[in-house]
Amino acid sequence: MQSEPDRLFSRATFLASAGTLQEFPADGIREVAFVGRSNVGKSSAINALAGRRRLAFTAKAPGRTQTVNFYDLAGAARLVDLPGYGFARVSKSVREGWERLVGDYFGAGRPLAGVVVLMDARHPMTSHDERLLGWLNTFELRLLAVLTKSDKLSRSEGTVTLNRTRQNLAARCEETILFSSSSGAGVEQVRELLWRWVAAGSAAAANKRPPV
Ligand code: GDP
């Protein structure tokens, strides 16, 4: 039998692609945002969580039109794929586009259950990652660090990286999880944590309803 988190994620469907603030959905459904360096494995991670091959598009060319992509989870919550950052070779205007779009997203007071920060398990905490984490901390959001492509590390390298990064982020992230879209490592753990974030939000929202 499927667990509740598995059931929720298996119902993910594409909802909308937005290139400007005005196009973001405005219905107040809680969101979990995914952010990370370009090519970190973000689209693959969203596909692995949903148990689908092509929900999010993988390996897009850097410098493509940047959009924020919204995925519906059975009307109960939403996954939000923010454009990747840290392109080495893109123009200033593309970088500025990223800052405007992602800045608009976080500055717009979205109903955020939390943010998943993806970093490559082979070299987490690059200067770009550090800057992003520092900036996200100013919003006082729940953060989960996901260390991608862990299949590229040996078991012992994975353990060392996980422990070091977890320690490093203890004050900033609720949890740090080793993850691989290829091997499936960490998929259940991430589903479970995000499901708790979303469920906690619904309970809080229910409690806030005025008594009838
Ligand atoms: P995005 O730009 O962050 O959305 O990254 P993608 O999901 O498109 O992945 C970038 C590249 O990394 C692709 O070539 C993927 O096949 C590869 N990739 C993604 N996840 C994994 C993983 O868990 N393990 C390995 N070995 N490669 C991965």
Side-chain angles (χ1 to χ4, degrees):
M1 217 185 77
Q2 274 190 318
S3 66
E4 283 200 54
D6 288 359
R7 200 159 41 234
L8 182 68
F9 277 89
S10 71
R11 294 177 65 188
T13 53
F14 176 76
L15 181 75
S17 221
T20 63
L21 175 64
Q22 290 72 26
E23 292 166 359
F24 296 164
D27 49 16
I29 290 180
R30 284 167 63 82
E31 296 176 339
V32 176
F34 287 68
V35 64
R37 188 176 54 76
S38 181
N39 215 40
V40 72
K42 183 159 50 67
S43 310
S44 303
I46 291 173
N47 287 336
L49 291 170
R52 301 264 288 284
R53 288 173 72 94
R54 279 170 209 274
L55 183 64
F57 298 111
T58 52
K60 291 152 290 194
R64 71 195 182 276
T65 310
Q66 300 195 333
T67 54
V68 178
N69 298 319
F70 295 84
Y71 301 93
D72 172 67
L73 291 182
R78 212 162 266 164
L79 304 182
V80 182
D81 184 4
L82 294 168
Y85 62 91
F87 321 93
R89 295 183 303 265
V90 299
S91 65
K92 194 162 164 249
S93 67
V94 171
R95 267 202 310 275
E96 284 170 355
W98 184 88
E99 281 168 21
R100 182 179 40 75
L101 199 52
V102 176
D104 277 353
Y105 180 82
F106 284 107
R110 306 291 302 169
L112 266 165
V115 181
V116 180
V117 179
L118 299 106
M119 296 183 281
D120 193 313
R122 291 168 296 177
H123 36 78
M125 309 296 288
T126 63
S127 55
H128 273 117
D129 297 329
E130 287 277 14
R131 233 177 302 148
L132 177 79
L133 282 160
W135 183 67
L136 285 176
N137 267 290
T138 64
F139 295 97
E140 297 186 9
L141 296 163
R142 276 177 136 166
L143 302 182
L144 162 65
V146 164
L147 305 182
T148 59
K149 309 189 190 183
S150 69
D151 57 288
K152 301 235 185 194
L153 299 178
S154 69
R155 185 182 287 260
S156 59
E157 286 170 335
T159 306
V160 169
T161 300
L162 177 64
N163 291 340
R164 197 190 304 131
T165 313
R166 192 175 267 162
Q167 208 169 11
N168 204 328
L169 292 175
R172 295 184 271 175
C173 289
E174 190 169 308
E175 183 54 285
T176 301
I177 295 175
L178 265 185
F179 188 94
S180 166
S181 309
S182 306
S183 75
V187 169
E188 289 297 320
Q189 243 180 307
V190 172
R191 278 186 195 149
E192 168 76 33
L193 185 82
L194 300 189
W195 178 80
R196 274 195 274 128
W197 280 3
V198 169
S202 325
N207 289 338
K208 274 191 214 143
R209 278 195 202 115
V212 280

